[in-house]
Amino acid sequence: KDQGKSPPQAKDQGKSPPQAQGKGPEKSQGTGGQKEGPKPIKVTMLKGEGVGPEIMDAVQEVLSAAEAPIEWEIFDECKSPDSDEVPAAILESLGRNKVGVKGPVDDRRWQRHIRKAFEQFAYVSICNNIEGVDTPFGEFDLVIIRDQMEGDYSGIEHKVVPGVMQTIKVSTKVGAERMAKFVFGYAREHNRKKITVAHKANIMRLTDGEFLDAIHAEADKHADKVLFEERYLDTTILNLLMKPEQNDVLVSSSMYGDVMRIMSGAMMGSPFLCPGYSVSCLGKVFECRMNSQPELASKDLVNPTGHLLSTVLMLRHLKLDKHADAVEGAVRRVYKESDVRTKDLGGCAKCSEFVQAVCDEI
């Protein structure tokens, strides 16, 4: 009966976290309050576009409630003033801190630039059901790892003749082997038991065949620890929908994995619920992949769950497991034990009300 009502107002509720001035980073004073504790860890924050600033404010507020020892280097502007490229200051900050969180940015050229400049060769999505969010898919816990440097998303296309366009799908042995080593390393590190590679090597025998051969070669090295199987993409997607609980780690090239990632997010109840991060030898950037939704910007309507859960992954990466448990437990209890839901999940709560509910749980 109290659905949609604002929770009791905290003394400082409604105040936005400190904003960066200009286009450079703001060095915050950390999120641990006045208590003495571990030395704050510097993390780069890109606020993004559209609803991005609201989501990143939510991340700061929740981590402050959890007293996570994080010192943010905040960038309000994600693009260079005279181009759509990533500013050098952002790349320098990410390279120095090795860890970042990012709000949504829609520009494809910008996305390709940061991936190539920061060598983000893979994206990892952690997809599992959230108790309290009603879906027809039951319990599942799976990981989707996709290439994001090669394949159909290489970004190479041109006009052959007027009326005829061509895109080039790129697959290199070096790139395929790098993906294969990361995937099996991830499975071993996180105690995952089965890896399924989705492909269409029956049609694209050279490109998908190169990717598949590399996975097979790496699988042979881990045969005693990790079960490996290959399936055509259409069969993989069918099993994902019909028997989600039987999936563990799914790996594929860029476009196939993007499709599976979006589907798995929808299976959780909303694409805004699925956390993840980009992988690079230079560090990791944590985010929930989503559009910037400019139509919702500054309306306090966006669902911040995916980015909050992505931040949980960041905290675990930083070995701050106690703080990660506090944040993840709070988010899941809000869904399990309350009716606070944002509009995308059929509720009427605002983003700020959801965030306050999570902070109250912490």
Side-chain angles (χ1 to χ4, degrees):
K1 69 180 181 179
D2 294 325
Q3 182 175 1
K5 292 184 179 180
S6 299
Q9 301 294 307
K11 180 178 180 181
D12 294 323
Q13 184 179 354
K15 294 183 179 180
S16 299
Q19 301 295 310
Q21 301 297 320
K23 302 185 184 300
E26 173 196 2
K27 296 183 179 180
S28 73
Q29 298 303 311
T31 59
Q34 300 299 318
K35 295 181 180 180
E36 293 185 4
K39 182 179 179 180
I41 302 171
K42 290 186 177 181
V43 174
T44 303
M45 173 179 282
L46 312 184
K47 289 209 166 183
E49 303 172 328
V51 295
E54 297 170 68
I55 294 173
M56 292 296 100
D57 288 351
V59 166
Q60 292 180 75
E61 185 174 347
V62 170
L63 262 63
S64 178
E67 298 185 349
I70 302 297
E71 180 180 336
W72 301 106
E73 288 189 6
I74 303 172
F75 289 85
D76 287 326
E77 299 292 336
C78 58
K79 295 181 179 179
S80 299
D82 54 350
S83 74
D84 290 332
E85 294 188 343
V86 185
I90 289 179
L91 297 177
E92 187 277 332
S93 178
L94 287 172
R96 172 167 36 81
N97 295 331
K98 311 297 183 186
V99 180
V101 295
K102 183 178 82 64
V105 178
D106 290 340
D107 190 280
R108 300 300 180 188
R109 181 182 298 180
W110 188 94
Q111 294 174 11
R112 284 197 297 270
H113 184 209
I114 194 169
R115 288 173 190 171
K116 292 182 178 180
F118 205 56
E119 300 179 26
Q120 297 173 335
F121 65 90
Y123 182 78
V124 180
S125 301
I126 312 297
C127 310
N128 49 55
N129 63 292
I130 297 178
E131 190 174 356
V133 179
D134 294 329
T135 75
F137 299 100
E139 295 185 2
F140 59 92
D141 178 17
L142 59 96
V143 178
I144 297 173
I145 304 176
R146 73 173 183 91
D147 186 291
Q148 60 177 10
M149 291 287 284
E150 298 185 352
D152 299 279
Y153 285 3
S154 62
I156 304 172
E157 55 182 6
H158 59 271
K159 181 187 294 184
V160 180
V161 295
V164 179
M165 312 301 171
Q166 185 179 63
T167 185
I168 297 177
K169 180 173 181 174
V170 175
S171 179
T172 68
K173 184 177 181 180
V174 171
E177 289 177 346
R178 177 173 58 183
M179 277 292 296
K181 290 178 181 178
F182 172 75
V183 168
F184 280 89
Y186 178 94
R188 295 288 298 272
E189 180 182 353
H190 296 276
N191 198 31
R192 293 283 178 166
K193 301 302 183 183
K194 183 176 73 171
I195 292 175
T196 303
V197 59
H199 67 91
K200 292 295 289 184
N202 57 323
I203 305 298
M204 287 164 279
R205 297 184 179 183
L206 293 179
T207 50
D208 278 21
E210 179 89 84
F211 188 84
L212 187 59
D213 288 345
I215 299 290
H216 267 291
E218 191 66 24
D220 292 341
K221 303 175 184 178
H222 305 274
D224 58 330
K225 298 292 184 181
V226 182
L227 178 65
F228 169 73
E229 63 181 12
E230 60 166 278
R231 295 186 182 274
Y232 293 143
L233 174 66
D234 40 357
T235 305
T236 303
I237 289 178
L238 178 63
N239 288 341
L240 181 61
L241 290 172
M242 301 298 292
K243 302 175 182 178
E245 74 283 355
Q246 295 184 6
N247 295 276
D248 197 350
V249 177
L250 305 178
V251 57
S252 74
S253 60
S254 54
M255 185 170 68
Y256 308 157
D258 211 15
V259 173
M260 293 191 294
R261 174 190 63 81
I262 294 171
M263 288 180 58
S264 298
M267 288 166 59
M268 293 176 66
S270 166
F272 306 139
L273 302 181
C274 186
Y277 57 92
S278 290
V279 179
S280 164
C281 60
L282 304 176
K284 295 180 179 179
V285 177
F286 296 81
E287 61 175 321
C288 169
R289 287 285 168 85
M290 59 186 291
N291 296 328
S292 68
Q293 303 178 86
E295 70 279 5
L296 297 183
S298 302
K299 294 183 179 179
D300 199 19
L301 296 176
V302 67
N303 186 342
T305 301
H307 279 84
L308 293 179
L309 294 178
S310 296
T311 306
V312 169
L313 299 177
M314 181 198 75
L315 293 172
R316 298 201 188 285
H317 171 66
L318 295 173
K319 309 300 182 185
L320 298 173
D321 291 328
K322 178 181 177 181
H323 303 86
D325 290 343
V327 175
E328 182 175 13
V331 171
R332 292 186 179 274
R333 284 194 301 275
V334 168
Y335 280 109
K336 181 180 179 180
E337 301 174 3
S338 81
D339 57 3
V340 179
R341 302 288 188 275
T342 47
K343 189 174 182 180
D344 60 302
L345 294 177
C348 57
K350 296 183 179 296
C351 174
S352 57
E353 293 170 344
F354 181 87
V355 171
Q356 187 59 51
V358 172
C359 291
D360 289 345
E361 287 290 339
I362 293 175

